[in-house]
Amino acid sequence: QQQVKQSPQSLIVQKGGISIINCAYENTAFDYFPWYQQFPGKGPALLIAIRPDVSEKKEGRFTISFNKSAKQFSLHIMDSQPGDSATYFCAAGRFFSGNNRKLIWGLGTSLAVNP
Amino acid sequence: SAVISQKPSRDICQRGTSLTIQCQVDSQVTMMFWYRQQPGQSLTLIATANQGSEATYESGFVIDKFPISRPNLTFSTLTVSNMSPEDSSIYLCSVERDTNNEQFFGPGTRLTVL
């Protein structure tokens, strides 16, 4: 059972456009929602993260929108650039025991930004 | 963030042998994680390694196959034992900063088993 559902699987956007990737979760115990960016041959890099007490967080061209009632969150990349072409993963985190947090990962979205 | 290095960056190994992957962090961290990622796929957590305690393994992963050491707050190793071609994958270590629970990843070790 996929606890975090990510869509679309792949996305093609023109340079300057807006890239939107969506994730949905089921377990209301999740309390931390990060997005990671991964380039080929590299480890995932933390891009931006949000906690459920806010509905939106913006860092530069990257924005997370969070809808607690719908149990959905999305990543918006404004003014998309060819250098943004990468695989993006959403995740949801919660504590499982003591102070041990675990991330549950989406399946990833391959983004291609055409010049 | 945290600076994380992994050794080796890649290796090609024969079936039946074992490989130990090292993960070094530039600062002390309590929690370290080991993941496996098939090319083009998502991340699968193998185990959580806290300093001073036994590693906690996820369903489908066992200590005999993936023994982990965590001798101090900046270092961990993952051994892939008695390898088969199905173990060919990218192995990633990550660390969690104590202050805000953000997880940071190393560059990964690409393992090919022939």
Side-chain angles (χ1 to χ4, degrees):
Chain A
Q1 180 183 4
Q2 188 66 28
Q3 295 189 48
V4 178
K5 296 181 179 180
Q6 183 172 346
S7 63
Q9 183 177 353
S10 62
L11 181 62
I12 300 174
V13 174
Q14 292 301 119
K15 178 181 177 181
I18 302 173
S19 303
I20 301 174
I21 306 171
N22 301 298
C23 280
Y25 63 97
E26 289 295 324
N27 194 330
T28 55
F30 289 128
D31 64 355
Y32 174 68
F33 303 90
W35 284 91
Y36 283 80
Q37 179 189 57
Q38 187 177 31
F39 293 105
K42 305 290 185 182
L46 180 63
L47 198 57
I48 187 172
I50 198 168
R51 298 190 188 273
D53 53 344
V54 297
S55 61
E56 185 175 282
K57 183 175 181 180
K58 182 176 181 179
E59 290 185 2
R61 296 186 293 112
F62 302 93
T63 299
I64 298 180
S65 297
F66 184 80
N67 186 328
K68 188 174 182 178
S69 61
K71 292 185 284 186
Q72 295 175 350
F73 58 109
S74 60
L75 176 69
H76 296 233
I77 305 175
M78 311 300 288
D79 187 26
S80 298
Q81 299 296 313
D84 296 329
S85 298
T87 300
Y88 292 81
F89 292 96
C90 67
R94 55 167 287 210
F95 290 108
F96 281 80
S97 63
N99 197 33
N100 293 334
R101 178 187 295 281
K102 196 160 41 173
L103 292 179
I104 308 300
W105 294 80
L107 295 181
T109 296
S110 178
L111 171 66
V113 181
N114 290 333
Chain B
S1 64
V3 178
I4 304 165
S5 60
Q6 285 186 234
K7 290 182 181 179
S9 59
R10 58 178 61 225
D11 207 341
I12 300 173
C13 301
Q14 295 298 318
R15 179 195 299 261
T17 62
S18 298
L19 176 72
T20 295
I21 302 168
Q22 300 179 6
C23 180
Q24 180 77 50
V25 192
D26 67 338
S27 58
Q28 294 183 341
V29 294
T30 301
M31 297 184 64
M32 296 180 77
F33 305 87
W34 287 98
Y35 287 86
R36 185 168 71 182
Q37 184 180 30
Q38 302 283 358
Q41 304 293 318
S42 187
L43 286 78
T44 301
L45 181 63
I46 297 172
T48 301
N50 291 344
Q51 195 271 335
S53 62
E54 295 290 325
T56 303
Y57 289 82
E58 296 299 304
S59 176
F61 297 96
V62 295
I63 187 171
D64 290 345
K65 175 67 175 178
F66 297 100
I68 289 171
S69 77
R70 183 77 202 274
N72 57 52
L73 290 172
T74 63
F75 187 78
S76 178
T77 67
L78 169 75
T79 299
V80 186
S81 303
N82 188 26
M83 289 183 286
S84 66
E86 292 70 36
D87 294 320
S88 297
S89 190
I90 299 167
Y91 291 85
L92 295 153
C93 77
S94 74
V95 304
E96 184 176 275
R97 296 299 291 240
D98 296 328
T99 54
N100 55 18
N101 302 119
E102 294 178 341
Q103 241 183 76
F104 300 95
F105 284 81
T109 295
R110 181 179 291 270
L111 171 62
T112 302
V113 184
L114 302 177

